[in-house]
mmCIF file with all atom_site columns, all heavy atoms in Angstrom:
data_model
loop_
_atom_site.group_PDB
_atom_site.id
_atom_site.type_symbol
_atom_site.label_atom_id
_atom_site.label_alt_id
_atom_site.label_comp_id
_atom_site.label_asym_id
_atom_site.label_entity_id
_atom_site.label_seq_id
_atom_site.pdbx_PDB_ins_code
_atom_site.Cartn_x
_atom_site.Cartn_y
_atom_site.Cartn_z
_atom_site.occupancy
_atom_site.B_iso_or_equiv
_atom_site.pdbx_formal_charge
_atom_site.auth_seq_id
_atom_site.auth_comp_id
_atom_site.auth_asym_id
_atom_site.auth_atom_id
_atom_site.pdbx_PDB_model_num
ATOM 1  N N   . SER A 1 46 ? 84.593 41.289 56.926 1.00 96.00 ? 81 SER A N   1
ATOM 2  C CA  . SER A 1 46 ? 85.853 40.709 56.422 1.00 96.00 ? 81 SER A CA  1
ATOM 3  C C   . SER A 1 46 ? 86.072 40.964 54.930 1.00 96.00 ? 81 SER A C   1
ATOM 4  O O   . SER A 1 46 ? 87.088 40.560 54.370 1.00 96.00 ? 81 SER A O   1
ATOM 5  C CB  . SER A 1 46 ? 85.878 39.197 56.702 1.00 96.00 ? 81 SER A CB  1
ATOM 6  O OG  . SER A 1 46 ? 85.896 38.923 58.069 1.00 96.00 ? 81 SER A OG  1
ATOM 7  N N   . VAL A 1 47 ? 85.095 41.660 54.305 1.00 97.00 ? 82 VAL A N   1
ATOM 8  C CA  . VAL A 1 47 ? 85.193 41.925 52.885 1.00 97.00 ? 82 VAL A CA  1
ATOM 9  C C   . VAL A 1 47 ? 85.320 43.429 52.666 1.00 97.00 ? 82 VAL A C   1
ATOM 10 O O   . VAL A 1 47 ? 84.538 44.214 53.199 1.00 97.00 ? 82 VAL A O   1
ATOM 11 C CB  . VAL A 1 47 ? 83.954 41.403 52.129 1.00 97.00 ? 82 VAL A CB  1
ATOM 12 C CG1 . VAL A 1 47 ? 84.059 41.713 50.644 1.00 97.00 ? 82 VAL A CG1 1
ATOM 13 C CG2 . VAL A 1 47 ? 83.798 39.910 52.346 1.00 97.00 ? 82 VAL A CG2 1
ATOM 14 N N   . VAL A 1 48 ? 86.347 43.826 51.919 1.00 97.00 ? 83 VAL A N   1
ATOM 15 C CA  . VAL A 1 48 ? 86.539 45.229 51.556 1.00 97.00 ? 83 VAL A CA  1
ATOM 16 C C   . VAL A 1 48 ? 86.592 45.327 50.037 1.00 97.00 ? 83 VAL A C   1
ATOM 17 O O   . VAL A 1 48 ? 86.779 44.321 49.341 1.00 97.00 ? 83 VAL A O   1
ATOM 18 C CB  . VAL A 1 48 ? 87.838 45.786 52.186 1.00 97.00 ? 83 VAL A CB  1
ATOM 19 C CG1 . VAL A 1 48 ? 87.725 45.832 53.682 1.00 97.00 ? 83 VAL A CG1 1
ATOM 20 C CG2 . VAL A 1 48 ? 89.058 44.969 51.764 1.00 97.00 ? 83 VAL A CG2 1
ATOM 21 N N   . SER A 1 49 ? 86.414 46.544 49.533 1.00 96.00 ? 84 SER A N   1
ATOM 22 C CA  . SER A 1 49 ? 86.376 46.698 48.081 1.00 96.00 ? 84 SER A CA  1
ATOM 23 C C   . SER A 1 49 ? 87.222 47.867 47.643 1.00 96.00 ? 84 SER A C   1
ATOM 24 O O   . SER A 1 49 ? 87.458 48.802 48.395 1.00 96.00 ? 84 SER A O   1
ATOM 25 C CB  . SER A 1 49 ? 84.923 46.878 47.619 1.00 96.00 ? 84 SER A CB  1
ATOM 26 O OG  . SER A 1 49 ? 84.388 48.091 48.101 1.00 96.00 ? 84 SER A OG  1
ATOM 27 N N   . VAL A 1 50 ? 87.649 47.801 46.398 1.00 96.00 ? 85 VAL A N   1
ATOM 28 C CA  . VAL A 1 50 ? 88.267 48.957 45.755 1.00 96.00 ? 85 VAL A CA  1
ATOM 29 C C   . VAL A 1 50 ? 87.137 49.898 45.356 1.00 96.00 ? 85 VAL A C   1
ATOM 30 O O   . VAL A 1 50 ? 85.961 49.583 45.504 1.00 96.00 ? 85 VAL A O   1
ATOM 31 C CB  . VAL A 1 50 ? 89.093 48.525 44.515 1.00 96.00 ? 85 VAL A CB  1
ATOM 32 C CG1 . VAL A 1 50 ? 90.206 47.581 44.895 1.00 96.00 ? 85 VAL A CG1 1
ATOM 33 C CG2 . VAL A 1 50 ? 88.198 47.857 43.461 1.00 96.00 ? 85 VAL A CG2 1
ATOM 34 N N   . SER A 1 51 ? 87.490 51.058 44.853 1.00 93.00 ? 86 SER A N   1
ATOM 35 C CA  . SER A 1 51 ? 86.482 52.028 44.427 1.00 93.00 ? 86 SER A CA  1
ATOM 36 C C   . SER A 1 51 ? 85.557 51.402 43.383 1.00 93.00 ? 86 SER A C   1
ATOM 37 O O   . SER A 1 51 ? 86.008 50.922 42.342 1.00 93.00 ? 86 SER A O   1
ATOM 38 C CB  . SER A 1 51 ? 87.182 53.256 43.837 1.00 93.00 ? 86 SER A CB  1
ATOM 39 O OG  . SER A 1 51 ? 86.250 54.077 43.171 1.00 93.00 ? 86 SER A OG  1
ATOM 40 N N   . ARG A 1 52 ? 84.257 51.440 43.671 1.00 91.00 ? 87 ARG A N   1
ATOM 41 C CA  . ARG A 1 52 ? 83.285 50.795 42.770 1.00 91.00 ? 87 ARG A CA  1
ATOM 42 C C   . ARG A 1 52 ? 83.256 51.496 41.419 1.00 91.00 ? 87 ARG A C   1
ATOM 43 O O   . ARG A 1 52 ? 83.252 50.842 40.364 1.00 91.00 ? 87 ARG A O   1
ATOM 44 C CB  . ARG A 1 52 ? 81.897 50.825 43.409 1.00 91.00 ? 87 ARG A CB  1
ATOM 45 C CG  . ARG A 1 52 ? 80.805 50.108 42.606 1.00 91.00 ? 87 ARG A CG  1
ATOM 46 C CD  . ARG A 1 52 ? 81.017 48.611 42.616 1.00 91.00 ? 87 ARG A CD  1
ATOM 47 N NE  . ARG A 1 52 ? 80.017 47.882 41.871 1.00 91.00 ? 87 ARG A NE  1
ATOM 48 C CZ  . ARG A 1 52 ? 78.975 47.251 42.419 1.00 91.00 ? 87 ARG A CZ  1
ATOM 49 N NH1 . ARG A 1 52 ? 78.828 47.274 43.723 1.00 91.00 ? 87 ARG A NH1 1
ATOM 50 N NH2 . ARG A 1 52 ? 78.101 46.599 41.671 1.00 91.00 ? 87 ARG A NH2 1
ATOM 51 N N   . TRP A 1 53 ? 83.282 52.832 41.426 1.00 93.00 ? 88 TRP A N   1
ATOM 52 C CA  . TRP A 1 53 ? 83.200 53.555 40.141 1.00 93.00 ? 88 TRP A CA  1
ATOM 53 C C   . TRP A 1 53 ? 84.479 53.346 39.328 1.00 93.00 ? 88 TRP A C   1
ATOM 54 O O   . TRP A 1 53 ? 84.460 53.228 38.104 1.00 93.00 ? 88 TRP A O   1
ATOM 55 C CB  . TRP A 1 53 ? 82.946 55.033 40.356 1.00 93.00 ? 88 TRP A CB  1
ATOM 56 C CG  . TRP A 1 53 ? 84.090 55.826 40.918 1.00 93.00 ? 88 TRP A CG  1
ATOM 57 C CD1 . TRP A 1 53 ? 84.350 56.079 42.224 1.00 93.00 ? 88 TRP A CD1 1
ATOM 58 C CD2 . TRP A 1 53 ? 85.146 56.428 40.160 1.00 93.00 ? 88 TRP A CD2 1
ATOM 59 N NE1 . TRP A 1 53 ? 85.519 56.824 42.330 1.00 93.00 ? 88 TRP A NE1 1
ATOM 60 C CE2 . TRP A 1 53 ? 86.018 57.059 41.084 1.00 93.00 ? 88 TRP A CE2 1
ATOM 61 C CE3 . TRP A 1 53 ? 85.455 56.513 38.799 1.00 93.00 ? 88 TRP A CE3 1
ATOM 62 C CZ2 . TRP A 1 53 ? 87.157 57.763 40.711 1.00 93.00 ? 88 TRP A CZ2 1
ATOM 63 C CZ3 . TRP A 1 53 ? 86.579 57.217 38.411 1.00 93.00 ? 88 TRP A CZ3 1
ATOM 64 C CH2 . TRP A 1 53 ? 87.412 57.822 39.348 1.00 93.00 ? 88 TRP A CH2 1
ATOM 65 N N   . LEU A 1 54 ? 85.650 53.269 40.045 1.00 95.00 ? 89 LEU A N   1
ATOM 66 C CA  . LEU A 1 54 ? 86.904 53.061 39.326 1.00 95.00 ? 89 LEU A CA  1
ATOM 67 C C   . LEU A 1 54 ? 86.954 51.639 38.749 1.00 95.00 ? 89 LEU A C   1
ATOM 68 O O   . LEU A 1 54 ? 87.428 51.449 37.618 1.00 95.00 ? 89 LEU A O   1
ATOM 69 C CB  . LEU A 1 54 ? 88.067 53.267 40.291 1.00 95.00 ? 89 LEU A CB  1
ATOM 70 C CG  . LEU A 1 54 ? 89.481 53.336 39.672 1.00 95.00 ? 89 LEU A CG  1
ATOM 71 C CD1 . LEU A 1 54 ? 89.544 54.451 38.632 1.00 95.00 ? 89 LEU A CD1 1
ATOM 72 C CD2 . LEU A 1 54 ? 90.533 53.524 40.752 1.00 95.00 ? 89 LEU A CD2 1
ATOM 73 N N   . HIS A 1 55 ? 86.446 50.670 39.509 1.00 95.00 ? 90 HIS A N   1
ATOM 74 C CA  . HIS A 1 55 ? 86.391 49.303 38.978 1.00 95.00 ? 90 HIS A CA  1
ATOM 75 C C   . HIS A 1 55 ? 85.509 49.246 37.737 1.00 95.00 ? 90 HIS A C   1
ATOM 76 O O   . HIS A 1 55 ? 85.871 48.608 36.744 1.00 95.00 ? 90 HIS A O   1
ATOM 77 C CB  . HIS A 1 55 ? 85.852 48.344 40.045 1.00 95.00 ? 90 HIS A CB  1
ATOM 78 C CG  . HIS A 1 55 ? 85.591 46.970 39.536 1.00 95.00 ? 90 HIS A CG  1
ATOM 79 N ND1 . HIS A 1 55 ? 86.595 46.056 39.282 1.00 95.00 ? 90 HIS A ND1 1
ATOM 80 C CD2 . HIS A 1 55 ? 84.427 46.343 39.181 1.00 95.00 ? 90 HIS A CD2 1
ATOM 81 C CE1 . HIS A 1 55 ? 86.070 44.953 38.800 1.00 95.00 ? 90 HIS A CE1 1
ATOM 82 N NE2 . HIS A 1 55 ? 84.766 45.093 38.743 1.00 95.00 ? 90 HIS A NE2 1
ATOM 83 N N   . SER A 1 56 ? 84.364 49.911 37.786 1.00 96.00 ? 91 SER A N   1
ATOM 84 C CA  . SER A 1 56 ? 83.473 49.947 36.624 1.00 96.00 ? 91 SER A CA  1
ATOM 85 C C   . SER A 1 56 ? 84.147 50.600 35.419 1.00 96.00 ? 91 SER A C   1
ATOM 86 O O   . SER A 1 56 ? 83.982 50.131 34.292 1.00 96.00 ? 91 SER A O   1
ATOM 87 C CB  . SER A 1 56 ? 82.192 50.715 36.972 1.00 96.00 ? 91 SER A CB  1
ATOM 88 O OG  . SER A 1 56 ? 81.487 50.074 38.013 1.00 96.00 ? 91 SER A OG  1
ATOM 89 N N   . LEU A 1 57 ? 84.910 51.664 35.676 1.00 97.00 ? 92 LEU A N   1
ATOM 90 C CA  . LEU A 1 57 ? 85.623 52.335 34.582 1.00 97.00 ? 92 LEU A CA  1
ATOM 91 C C   . LEU A 1 57 ? 86.658 51.406 33.953 1.00 97.00 ? 92 LEU A C   1
ATOM 92 O O   . LEU A 1 57 ? 86.780 51.327 32.730 1.00 97.00 ? 92 LEU A O   1
ATOM 93 C CB  . LEU A 1 57 ? 86.308 53.593 35.121 1.00 97.00 ? 92 LEU A CB  1
ATOM 94 C CG  . LEU A 1 57 ? 87.035 54.479 34.105 1.00 97.00 ? 92 LEU A CG  1
ATOM 95 C CD1 . LEU A 1 57 ? 86.036 55.041 33.089 1.00 97.00 ? 92 LEU A CD1 1
ATOM 96 C CD2 . LEU A 1 57 ? 87.763 55.629 34.815 1.00 97.00 ? 92 LEU A CD2 1
#
Side-chain angles (χ1 to χ4, degrees):
S81 295
V82 180
V83 294
S84 65
V85 299
S86 168
R87 184 69 180 260
W88 72 267
L89 190 58
H90 172 75
S91 298
L92 184 63

